Amino acid sequence: MNFFIVSLIKSALVAFVLLTALAYIQWVERKVLAHIQLRIGPRRVGPHGLLQPLADVIKLLTKEDMLPSHVNKFFYFLAPFIAVMFALISIAVIPFGTEVKIGSFSTPMQLTDLNIGVLFILGLSGVGVYGVALAGWASNNKYSLIGGLRSSAQMISYELPMAMAIAAPLLMLNSLSFRELVDGQGGFYFGLIPRWAIFQGPFPQILSFGIFMIAAFAETNRVPFDLPEAENELVAGFHTEYGSMKFAAFFMAEYCNMVTVSCVGALLFLGGWQPLWPAEYGSQFVPTLVFAISGLICLYHGFHPARPFDRFTLPVFGVVFLGIAAIFLVPIVATILLPLFWFLAKVSIILFIYIWIRGTLPRFRYDQLMNFAWTVLFPVAIVNLFVTALMVALTSK
Amino acid sequence: MDAILFLLFAAIAVVCGINVVVQTHPISSALSLVGVMGSLAALYLLLGGEFIAAAQLIVYAGAIMVLFIFVIMLLNAGKEKKLPRRLWVKFAGIPLLAIFIGIVAFVIQRMLPVTEGVKFGAMTHGNPQELGRALFNVYVLPFEVTSVLILIAILGAVVLASKEIE
């Protein structure tokens, strides 16, 4: 019974945090994009637009739920459901940190540690294609259909190099469970260089990390591979005919896939919650330092406000950040929070790169996209996998 | 718990399987086939073959069936037309089907007599290491022959397609 209660609490917590994070990633994206394009971004709803996600949710919930008359009703309703369901399930096998210990009670920071965790994620991402493909087909609209077709072709093509890029670190670390994979990346070379998969011998996986990231952009239909929803050609691609909550489901699925892919990248290649340098050189003070500096910057700008509103909001943020910095100095809490901090930091960096690239790169043409997958990415991934296998075979006892 | 899950997924597999035949629209049939593949993966999981289950999900449900649906969408295949059936087909169909299934079941039972019951989670040799070792040691010849066969099929498809283009 204890197991059920603990699982229930953990599931509720993960679901709440994930859904909130999905809403706020969108806020961060809008803010970062705005600053890349020399704008300010959302700042009407709440201080610095922080309540904008809430306003968006209310807007999407209260919009009229339109049902176009020319659609195939069953599949039209099924498609967003499939898309969002398979996107949300995959968070279940992602580990966030080592474990939580309260007295004699301890539980891993993960919903379930499958021994085929990596394959589970790959399988779900493969099945998730149906949501997009069906949405395009059921809408009975030429733009939607082309969007759906493009998307399924693109996702099938890029799944291959992605799976091959994932297979290379699996060969080196010799496991399929995320937790064991991260444990295999612990420790340091010469007491300084981390043994993350991208630095680990016998064959550092930098190349497969690159392939994985490129394929991940295509798998999640993000710029520069967002052809399924290319606005200037296809209106909105596969979700042209969708409104209100059904549109929100596709939106959530896209952002959730982004989060999952970033988590997988951080776990497989960037060492999960393993710190960047050993604790002897003070890696446990990094979170304190980061939050303290952010807090001080906020306080400074609060006392020298650029806009009248900043006088009230920025000092509050500053105090909150300083408080978080202080929490990381408490030894009992820090042992739990430090792995979580490192993991979330790596995931956030990958997510930031996603947004950064969206603000920087133009969209591929469709034939370029397909040529790139089959004539560049796929051969490189095969060669990389082959060399890794050879090195592992030569060096293993 | 295992028995309940087995019955649930077995029922889903059978219902989806019947649905593949009954549905008139190709997309509905293909999606029902995806349901069959998915519930088969769940059944493998119940027996303890985690890797096989994941491979079933990735290869069949995730890749092959997506290609099926892709082709159906590309050709924009519509509903199939139903022709009126002949009278003797209507009446003799189900009894003949029952007899056929009975014969098949009888032959299988004779050829492969049941030695012991299947247990849930009994399959312990299904992890990737042992599977890989078996594929590349004991069964390396059938494995390689199969890959050559598939390669020939791909080449044949390419040749046929290129003739079409010229």
Side-chain angles (χ1 to χ4, degrees):
Chain A
M1 207 57 218
N2 198 10
F3 169 76
F4 278 104
I5 296 170
V6 171
S7 300
L8 206 65
I9 294 170
K10 280 205 285 191
S11 311
L13 197 67
V14 168
F16 175 75
V17 172
L18 178 67
L19 292 178
T20 316
L22 290 183
Y24 274 92
I25 289 168
Q26 196 226 337
W27 175 81
V28 172
E29 172 157 28
R30 288 173 72 173
K31 274 286 186 193
V32 172
L33 273 184
H35 283 284
I36 287 174
Q37 298 160 353
L38 298 179
R39 295 182 285 120
I40 302 174
R43 59 173 285 117
R44 292 279 172 203
V45 193
H48 300 271
L50 267 175
L51 295 179
Q52 185 71 43
L54 190 69
D56 286 341
V57 169
I58 292 172
K59 179 195 77 176
L60 286 167
L61 274 173
T62 51
K63 263 191 175 177
E64 188 189 353
D65 196 13
M66 293 281 281
L67 176 65
S69 55
H70 52 77
V71 299
N72 183 326
K73 275 200 195 97
F74 180 70
F75 292 124
Y76 179 77
F77 282 114
L78 188 69
F81 182 70
I82 289 179
V84 76
M85 186 176 72
F86 288 116
L88 289 175
I89 287 177
S90 45
I91 203 74
V93 294
I94 301 283
F96 308 104
T98 46
E99 55 179 7
V100 182
K101 261 193 195 136
I102 303 164
S104 61
F105 167 79
S106 82
T107 177
M109 273 200 220
Q110 185 178 17
L111 288 186
T112 169
D113 185 17
L114 284 189
N115 55 357
I116 48 160
V118 181
L119 296 177
F120 183 76
I121 297 259
L122 278 178
L124 284 184
S125 84
V127 179
V129 183
Y130 290 115
V132 175
L134 275 184
W137 178 79
S139 297
N140 202 3
N141 170 329
K142 57 188 172 194
Y143 299 118
S144 299
L145 184 67
I146 292 175
L149 280 175
R150 278 183 177 187
S151 161
S152 30
Q154 169 182 337
M155 281 164 116
I156 295 168
S157 309
Y158 278 86
E159 218 160 67
L160 276 168
M162 181 150 120
M164 292 208 155
I166 286 179
L170 296 184
L171 269 180
M172 288 200 337
L173 301 166
N174 200 14
S175 174
L176 284 173
S177 140
F178 279 115
R179 191 161 284 277
E180 285 173 25
L181 283 169
V182 174
D183 289 340
Q185 299 177 55
F188 299 91
Y189 289 120
F190 317 118
L192 190 64
I193 305 167
R195 287 169 57 92
W196 299 353
I198 52 167
F199 301 128
Q200 199 178 62
F203 187 64
Q205 293 299 316
I206 297 177
L207 197 59
S208 50
F209 182 58
I211 299 168
F212 172 81
M213 284 306 292
I214 296 171
F217 275 84
E219 279 286 297
T220 47
N221 293 335
R222 292 280 300 187
V223 176
F225 304 120
D226 65 335
L227 289 124
E229 40 195 313
E231 296 90 356
N232 36 14
E233 306 164 25
L234 297 177
V235 189
F238 61 90
H239 57 65
T240 305
E241 299 284 354
Y242 285 87
S244 73
M245 267 324 274
K246 295 197 289 297
F247 166 73
F250 283 118
F251 209 66
M252 262 167 71
E254 182 186 324
Y255 279 81
C256 193
N257 284 331
M258 261 169 71
V259 171
T260 313
V261 156
S262 311
C263 289
V264 172
L267 289 168
L268 285 180
F269 297 97
L270 301 181
W273 51 84
Q274 311 288 358
L276 185 55
W277 66 87
E280 295 101 72
Y281 303 110
S283 72
Q284 77 268 39
F285 296 119
V286 170
T288 313
L289 210 63
V290 168
F291 281 111
I293 290 174
S294 331
L296 290 177
I297 291 175
C298 281
L299 280 181
Y300 173 81
H301 283 287
F303 293 129
H304 305 84
R307 293 173 287 261
F309 205 60
D310 291 352
R311 196 171 299 144
F312 309 106
T313 55
L314 285 180
V316 175
F317 289 135
V319 170
V320 169
F321 281 143
L322 286 177
I324 295 173
I327 287 175
F328 274 96
L329 287 177
V330 183
I332 312 163
V333 190
T335 50
I336 299 172
L337 287 185
L338 262 179
L340 195 65
F341 169 80
W342 281 109
F343 177 65
L344 290 182
K346 288 165 190 173
V347 173
S348 326
I349 287 171
I350 298 180
L351 283 174
F352 181 79
I353 293 174
Y354 260 105
I355 301 168
W356 190 6
I357 287 185
R358 179 169 171 189
T360 316
L361 289 184
R363 187 179 294 131
F364 269 61
R365 219 170 54 216
Y366 195 65
D367 56 320
Q368 290 172 335
L369 173 95
M370 281 299 167
N371 272 335
F372 181 67
W374 291 103
T375 59
V376 180
L377 213 54
F378 188 52
V380 172
I382 288 182
V383 169
N384 175 63
L385 185 62
F386 182 73
V387 173
T388 310
L390 196 70
M391 295 301 276
V392 169
L394 287 179
T395 53
S396 68
K397 288 118 206 169
Chain B
M1 189 70 182
D2 284 340
I4 297 171
L5 284 175
F6 169 76
L7 286 177
L8 180 71
F9 283 109
I12 294 176
V14 171
V15 169
C16 286
I18 294 172
N19 209 25
V20 174
V21 187
V22 172
Q23 287 292 335
T24 51
H25 203 287
I27 289 252
S28 315
S29 297
L31 277 178
S32 307
L33 202 52
V34 176
V36 177
M37 303 296 183
S39 31
L40 278 187
L43 292 183
Y44 288 142
L45 210 56
L46 279 176
L47 291 173
E50 293 102 353
F51 182 76
I52 305 281
Q56 167 90 5
L57 197 66
I58 295 171
V59 175
Y60 285 99
I64 293 183
M65 288 315 295
V66 172
L67 276 179
F68 271 45
I69 294 214
F70 182 73
V71 170
I72 294 171
M73 276 166 54
L74 200 63
L75 299 177
N76 208 4
K79 277 190 173 183
E80 68 180 33
K81 282 175 200 151
K82 271 195 171 168
L83 296 172
R85 294 214 172 90
R86 284 185 198 141
L87 198 65
W88 69 270
V89 173
K90 270 185 188 165
F91 287 103
I94 288 173
L96 280 178
L97 181 71
I99 291 168
F100 176 70
I101 290 173
I103 291 172
V104 169
F106 179 75
V107 170
I108 288 176
Q109 185 122 35
R110 269 298 156 87
M111 281 169 63
L112 308 163
V114 179
T115 47
E116 54 179 316
V118 177
K119 290 194 190 75
F120 292 115
M123 191 174 148
T124 49
H125 301 291
N127 62 12
Q129 274 104 345
E130 289 186 42
L131 213 66
R133 208 153 278 153
L135 270 184
F136 290 107
N137 278 337
V138 189
Y139 302 110
V140 69
L141 186 67
F143 181 67
E144 292 300 330
V145 169
T146 315
S147 13
V148 171
L149 189 70
I150 293 171
L151 192 65
I152 293 170
I154 295 173
L155 288 179
V158 169
V159 169
L160 288 178
S162 64
K163 257 183 198 164
E164 235 10 48
I165 292 167
E166 283 163 12

